[in-house]
Amino acid sequence: MTPRPSPTFEIDAEDVGWITFDDPDRSVNVLTEAVMLRFGETLDEARAAAREGRVRAIVVRSGKPESFIAGADIDVIASIEDPDVAEETIRVGQSIYNDIASLPVPTVAAVHGVCVGGGVEMALACDHRVLTDARKTTMSLPEVQLGILPAWGGTTRLPRLVGLQAALDMLLTGRRVDARKAKRIGLATEVVATGALEEGVRAVLRAVAAGGAATVGAGEGGASKAGGSKRGRRSLLTRAMDDTPPGRRIVLAMARRKVIQTTGGNYPAPLRILDLLRAHLGGSIEESLAAEAREGARLVVSPVCKNLVHVFHMREAARKGTGLEGAKRAERDGHGGDGDEVAPTREAKGRPVGVLGVLGAGVMGGGIAQLAATRGVRVYMKDIRHEAVTGGLQHAESLFDKAVQRRRMTRREATQARERIAGGLEYHGLSAADLVVEAVVERMDVKKAVLKETEAHVSDDCVLATNTSSLSVTEMAGALARPERFCGMHFFNPVHRMPLIEVIRGAQTSDRTVTTVYRLCVALGKVPVVVGDGPGFLVNRILGPYLNEAGFLLEELGSVERIDRVAKRFGMPMGPLRLIDEVGIDVSGHAGASLHEGLGERLAPAPLLVELGETGRLGRKGGLGFYRYEKGKEKSVDPELSSVLGLAAPKDGEGGRSGNGGPGAAGNNEDEAIRRRLVLAMVNEAARILDDGIVHAARDVDLAMIMGTGFPPFRGGLLRFADTLHARGILDRLRALHEALGPRFEPAPLIVRLAEEDRSLYDAFPETRRDG
């Protein structure tokens, strides 16, 4: 039997019309072009039924058990290049939603589960929104995270319904709102118990018929047939700021300042939302919707939108992957091959991890334990000292407390998660572990000894992993009787905040081991990237030249502020010198020395960084580095730094050590020269990484750099940005820097080849590698 097209329209015995979205080909409802056209047809049917007196109300619902509507089709957004086409597409969606708003009978959106983007805008076009109290029931407008704005009426209708300040919290951040908050701010008409959604909808319709709920609708300005908006309880000040022109001007000005401070102005969508609200919030719905379409169209075709959609697709591919995508037979079998793709076997699909062992109960071990327990995994932390185990448990406890304070967990959930963590000195606690991750001191001899001893106390099916950030996984595996069940699982610090995990494949690591660890990473809510074994792996190897170049620049220019400012204006979350402080001057120095040893003289540490390390300064954790810190918070650049390192005071963009003119960074375009050196140092090393087979696709580099370092998502990733410079342009710049500054800028062979072939990095290393 052929399934009926989604959505469907049916009228029940109580004369209620039900429009049901249930796409038979997808696990969630997506508003594709075909679905939207079919929705328009069902609305025509509903309007005819209302005019004929066959229905007294219309309800929009989902047939999916976990979600309402997951939003618009992102592939369509990615494909549109013409602003006129974009505007016409937006206007079609607006027209369909206007048809909901103009139906001659009451309309209700019955929401259970995730309601996103266009789904929220659909609900806003209805008179009422009834939500279940399920934890998974949330509403969000994440368009701004894709570089666009809610253009099917969301930017227009939401502030008219809930007030300007509550609306901005959703529009400018994409933040999810649960059912309880939705009711509090006036977004939800009613919240009902899970399992009682239909009954709750009928109760609201009875109240509407009796006149009791008719004042709760889609807002002012004719947005609601119900005749007005009954927002959540608001203070006198909130009402004054939301409902008066002077108050709105103040709110919008404050929001603009915050957006600029947070984004540096690099993301146009939130600024366009503010512009639109400033111009049209007090005006007509029609004019506001027209402005939505115009501004939305401009954003859809912008480079920032295309880059953010690219980042979204990278994240989704990682979330749905196995860790074996694109793996070559040479990587799997340890011998040369033709580069064909490897399909995961049944044995290679990996096993779920219900019990996790953690070796080492320090800050990293405690963070890993807390994360896993939060996700429902039982954890046993082992250390050699009772004090260490106690410290690890206390660190996990502090993270639970912070999660409760920030309302990311309830107290009950935190208590339940705490009970999943145990600790001790004995190995017997690891006997049931599905996976054990080692997080002890960063010394090869210690790690080998700990892993060898652990292997004797775990089951044959248990996977072993190391959290090393710099040591060879292949060498470490030499201590094990079964090296095939061992790999790297490099968490970034702090564990609870950093989304990236590098899954490091050693020479003998099996597919099953990779997929088991990869599967756990996804279950923990992290973004895994599988990388090969080599000095610095992926992220730290690229960061090494970047941080090192900052040291050379400081020696030449003498200005910490200027170097860090240029990097931040490019979009980095913090400058390279501030990052060295954050990582730890000692840790950064050790990593730099390891890269120098493993990769040769082109990564010889900048003398100034070596000299700084010898001063005993530790960075933020010690209160003093390039910057001064109080209680862990940055205060200012240390005024004594120049005298400590023998730097001349910066003057008119110059400075540095006496007699060092700083070739490559002087002149009127000095900021551009600084940026060029910092970014090209990373691009050049990333090209070498691809050539070395550490990762198989340019996408892997970009995803790892965004998730592991905060490389600006609006640029699409390091190598996507590099492709905008073109290989010939990169080669010319590198050759000039090589001539001026020496071997650290010697062009990578891959850059030379791509320039000769006139190819891009993404073309040469696509998602599916085409070797030969």
Side-chain angles (χ1 to χ4, degrees):
M1 182 176 177
T2 303
R4 297 171 64 188
S6 176
T8 59
F9 177 65
E10 297 176 323
I11 303 173
D12 67 15
E14 297 182 19
D15 297 333
V16 176
W18 297 84
I19 296 175
T20 305
F21 286 82
D22 193 0
D23 189 334
D25 299 323
R26 296 178 186 253
S27 60
V28 295
N29 292 312
V30 177
L31 299 175
T32 64
E33 182 180 3
V35 168
M36 288 294 286
L37 290 175
R38 172 58 190 153
F39 185 37
E41 293 171 359
T42 64
L43 290 174
D44 290 340
E45 295 175 37
R47 185 178 300 278
R51 286 174 175 169
E52 295 165 5
R54 292 186 290 119
V55 296
R56 61 182 179 86
I58 300 295
V59 181
V60 181
R61 65 180 176 180
S62 169
K64 303 297 183 185
E66 302 293 326
S67 63
F68 180 65
I69 291 176
D73 189 343
I74 293 178
D75 289 338
V76 172
I77 296 172
S79 67
I80 298 176
E81 301 289 346
D82 186 333
D84 292 334
V85 172
E87 185 169 351
E88 178 58 29
T89 302
I90 291 170
R91 287 186 178 276
V92 169
Q94 288 183 347
S95 176
I96 292 171
Y97 283 10
N98 284 341
D99 286 345
I100 307 174
S102 64
L103 285 171
V105 294
T107 53
V108 180
V111 180
H112 172 68
V114 177
C115 179
V116 177
V120 174
E121 293 178 288
M122 183 186 298
L124 287 169
C126 294
D127 295 321
H128 308 284
R129 290 145 296 281
V130 179
L131 278 60
T132 69
D133 63 1
R135 182 176 179 84
K136 61 191 172 187
T137 298
T138 59
M139 303 185 81
S140 63
L141 291 166
E143 284 86 348
V144 71
Q145 298 170 359
L146 296 175
I148 56 179
L149 56 78
W152 284 348
T155 307
T156 293
R157 291 190 172 99
L158 183 63
R160 287 170 168 81
L161 175 64
V162 304
L164 178 58
Q165 294 174 81
L168 289 178
D169 187 52
M170 294 181 67
L171 290 169
L172 300 182
T173 67
R175 188 174 291 124
R176 287 179 290 182
V177 171
D178 62 21
R180 183 172 55 182
K181 183 173 181 180
K183 179 68 185 301
R184 187 168 68 248
I185 66 176
L187 178 56
T189 306
E190 194 58 76
V191 175
V192 300
T194 303
L197 183 57
E198 182 175 332
E199 179 183 343
V201 167
R202 294 187 188 278
V204 167
L205 290 176
R206 286 194 294 271
V208 169
T215 57
V216 186
E220 64 180 61
S224 169
K225 302 181 297 296
S229 169
K230 184 178 178 182
R231 297 170 184 162
R233 292 181 179 178
R234 299 179 300 153
S235 68
L236 179 61
L237 177 61
T238 299
R239 292 199 301 272
M241 300 297 275
D242 281 352
D243 300 341
T244 67
R248 289 171 178 170
R249 284 196 295 269
I250 293 171
V251 170
L252 292 171
M254 292 174 63
R256 178 174 292 275
R257 284 196 295 270
K258 185 174 181 180
V259 167
I260 294 295
Q261 181 181 9
T262 304
T263 70
N266 292 313
Y267 295 82
L271 297 175
R272 297 294 80 78
I273 289 171
L274 294 173
D275 290 342
L276 192 152
L277 293 176
R278 183 183 59 197
H280 298 285
L281 183 54
S284 72
I285 295 289
E286 292 74 17
E287 290 177 354
S288 184
L289 289 173
E292 268 190 14
R294 290 193 304 272
E295 294 298 333
R298 294 189 185 105
L299 291 171
V300 162
V301 300
S302 69
V304 170
C305 172
K306 302 310 180 189
N307 285 338
L308 292 176
V309 168
H310 170 68
V311 174
F312 172 84
H313 282 143
M314 289 195 296
R315 289 199 66 166
E316 284 296 287
R319 183 177 64 84
K320 297 175 182 178
T322 65
L324 301 183
E325 291 78 14
K328 290 186 271 185
R329 288 198 177 97
E331 295 170 345
R332 185 189 68 178
D333 299 332
H335 57 73
D338 59 7
D340 290 342
E341 300 298 317
V342 179
T345 63
R346 178 181 298 178
E347 293 76 14
K349 288 184 179 178
R351 60 182 297 190
V353 174
V355 181
L356 176 70
V358 179
L359 303 174
V363 171
M364 183 64 74
I368 295 171
Q370 188 268 345
L371 172 67
T374 299
R375 294 284 175 155
V377 177
R378 289 192 293 122
V379 183
Y380 179 79
M381 278 195 296
K382 184 199 176 299
D383 211 297
I384 58 175
R385 296 182 301 110
H386 285 293
E387 297 83 1
V389 174
T390 300
L393 293 172
Q394 289 175 341
H395 180 59
E397 177 83 13
S398 71
L399 294 174
F400 285 126
D401 289 341
K402 289 178 181 177
V404 171
Q405 291 169 6
R406 294 171 182 172
R407 297 184 178 180
R408 293 175 182 170
M409 301 180 77
T410 65
R411 291 194 179 278
R412 181 180 179 184
E413 289 167 341
T415 298
Q416 292 173 336
R418 288 186 188 102
E419 293 173 352
R420 298 187 188 107
I421 305 177
L425 310 185
E426 305 299 327
Y427 277 103
H428 65 76
L430 301 175
S431 60
D434 301 303
L435 188 149
V436 175
V437 60
E438 165 276 309
V440 302
V441 65
E442 193 78 347
R443 281 177 46 189
M444 180 64 77
D445 58 337
V446 175
K447 289 181 181 289
K448 280 185 173 181
V450 168
L451 288 164
K452 182 176 182 179
E453 191 171 357
T454 300
E455 188 179 31
H457 293 86
V458 298
S459 69
D460 291 343
D461 290 334
C462 181
V463 169
L464 300 177
T466 173
N467 183 50
T468 184
S469 61
S470 61
L471 301 177
S472 170
V473 170
T474 299
E475 180 181 347
M476 213 177 292
L480 299 175
R482 294 180 56 195
E484 71 277 2
R485 64 164 163 178
F486 178 69
C487 71
M489 189 179 186
H490 178 208
F491 290 83
F492 284 69
N493 195 31
V495 172
H496 66 288
R497 290 176 53 191
M498 297 299 290
L500 179 68
I501 297 178
E502 289 179 324
V503 179
I504 302 117
R505 184 168 199 149
Q508 294 178 275
T509 302
S510 70
D511 284 353
R512 179 178 176 276
T513 296
V514 170
T515 54
T516 296
V517 173
Y518 193 99
R519 181 173 178 175
L520 175 61
C521 294
V522 173
L524 295 179
K526 297 297 186 180
V527 179
V529 174
V530 178
V531 306
D533 192 16
F537 308 131
L538 175 55
V539 169
N540 286 342
R541 179 168 167 183
I542 294 174
L543 273 183
Y546 170 72
L547 300 179
N548 205 37
E549 195 57 31
F552 283 110
L553 283 164
L554 181 59
E555 185 171 355
E556 297 167 17
L557 302 174
S559 174
V560 172
E561 296 99 325
R562 186 167 201 181
I563 295 165
D564 280 357
R565 183 178 66 244
V566 168
K568 289 186 70 175
R569 284 180 176 172
F570 178 72
M572 301 299 285
M574 63 179 66
L577 301 174
R578 174 67 179 81
L579 180 58
I580 290 173
D581 271 2
E582 188 70 22
V583 171
I585 293 170
D586 55 338
V587 174
S588 179
H590 173 74
S594 296
L595 289 173
H596 181 206
E597 180 181 357
L599 299 173
E601 284 306 304
R602 62 187 174 81
L603 280 172
L608 182 143
L609 297 182
V610 175
E611 186 177 330
L612 182 65
E614 292 170 350
T615 67
R617 295 181 179 220
L618 297 176
R620 186 175 69 86
K621 63 186 175 184
L624 189 63
F626 293 101
Y627 294 79
R628 285 185 177 271
Y629 303 85
E630 287 184 11
K631 297 181 180 180
K633 296 194 175 181
E634 175 193 328
K635 298 296 292 183
S636 64
V637 172
D638 177 28
E640 298 178 4
L641 187 67
S642 293
S643 60
V644 169
L645 298 178
L647 298 173
K651 181 179 179 182
D652 296 329
E654 299 178 357
R657 291 184 172 174
S658 300
N660 190 338
N668 294 329
N669 295 320
E670 195 171 71
D671 281 1
E672 172 59 30
I674 293 170
R675 187 183 87 162
R676 179 177 298 177
R677 284 171 60 174
L678 291 174
V679 174
L680 289 183
M682 292 191 285
V683 171
N684 205 30
E685 196 61 42
R688 295 180 188 275
I689 284 171
L690 287 169
D691 246 1
D692 290 348
I694 298 299
V695 291
H696 79 279
R699 182 194 72 184
D700 295 332
V701 172
D702 285 350
L703 184 62
M705 289 300 291
I706 290 169
M707 298 299 149
T709 74
F711 188 90
F714 72 88
R715 296 192 183 277
L718 176 65
L719 298 187
R720 187 171 168 100
F721 171 73
D723 277 345
T724 67
L725 305 177
H726 305 289
R728 290 175 182 172
I730 294 171
L731 181 60
D732 289 344
R733 292 174 174 91
L734 285 173
R735 281 174 170 165
L737 290 170
H738 183 206
E739 182 178 352
L741 299 171
R744 66 183 187 272
F745 279 105
E746 180 180 359
L750 174 61
I751 298 296
V752 177
R753 295 200 306 273
L754 294 181
E756 292 172 348
E757 299 168 4
D758 195 22
R759 298 176 70 193
S760 70
L761 288 153
Y762 263 80
D763 178 51
F765 289 84
E767 183 173 337
T768 302
R769 180 76 183 271
R770 300 186 299 271
D771 291 336

